[in-house]
Amino acid sequence: MFTISTDPAQLDLNTVHRYLAEESYWARGIPRETLERAVSNSLNFGLYAPDGRQAGFARVITDRATFAWLCDVFVLSEFRGQGLSKQLMTAVWSHPDLQGLRRSMLATLDAHGLYRQFGFEDLAAPERYLEVRRPNPYGAPTAN
């Protein structure tokens, strides 16, 4: 049985870093130190295989009162096709610290179908949102 935990001591940061730095389209090249700082300031969800190996990850940047930003979500390729992304999202959005928030947001290039199952929709008023957008500061090309 796969398990999900928010215990930071269980995270295999080598696996998380390897995936984000080498395989993700959004954080390619991220330095290990940057990931460690991000993880230490976030609510993290580790997805673990029955043998204890890290199988996936999700990170939520939140004030635990009004706002959450979901990011760095992945399930390793060898574990895909088992409904684990849904299991991971169910655990994230049922976490007690993420209840009653006024706004939850994310950005995705290719997983709209998954996130729509959890209530995410296109921005209702995109004209109200602004961003500061910079090239990947880690020096590796990333998708927009």
Side-chain angles (χ1 to χ4, degrees):
M1 175 194 303
F2 284 81
T3 59
I4 296 170
S5 174
T6 58
D7 179 359
Q10 279 191 262
L11 288 173
D12 178 350
L13 283 181
N14 289 329
T15 296
V16 174
H17 180 251
R18 185 172 37 258
Y19 181 86
L20 292 175
E22 297 174 12
E23 296 184 44
S24 77
Y25 64 79
W26 62 89
R28 181 97 15 112
I30 188 171
R32 170 71 183 243
E33 301 76 29
T34 301
L35 174 64
E36 289 172 1
R37 194 168 63 243
V39 164
S40 71
N41 289 293
S42 300
L43 177 57
N44 305 287
F45 295 80
L47 171 67
Y48 303 96
D51 64 4
R53 287 182 298 149
Q54 182 108 30
F57 178 76
R59 184 166 72 87
V60 180
I61 303 164
T62 183
D63 61 6
R64 294 178 157 95
T66 64
F67 181 79
W69 178 268
L70 175 67
C71 57
D72 293 340
V73 178
F74 68 85
V75 173
L76 294 175
S77 60
E78 67 187 282
F79 300 108
R80 292 182 189 152
Q82 302 179 58
L84 296 172
S85 60
K86 289 181 189 176
Q87 183 180 339
L88 183 56
M89 287 301 95
T90 298
V92 167
W93 298 117
S94 63
H95 190 279
D97 289 355
L98 302 178
Q99 303 310 299
L101 302 176
R102 186 172 61 235
R103 179 165 284 124
S104 298
M105 299 181 75
L106 60 82
T108 185
L109 184 62
D110 56 1
H112 296 75
L114 170 65
Y115 298 121
R116 288 189 196 286
Q117 294 175 50
F118 292 88
F120 284 88
E121 302 173 351
D122 294 340
L123 292 174
E127 69 279 0
R128 297 177 75 182
Y129 292 84
L130 301 170
E131 69 178 345
V132 174
R133 189 174 176 151
R134 295 184 178 98
N136 182 350
Y138 319 126
T142 58
N144 292 333

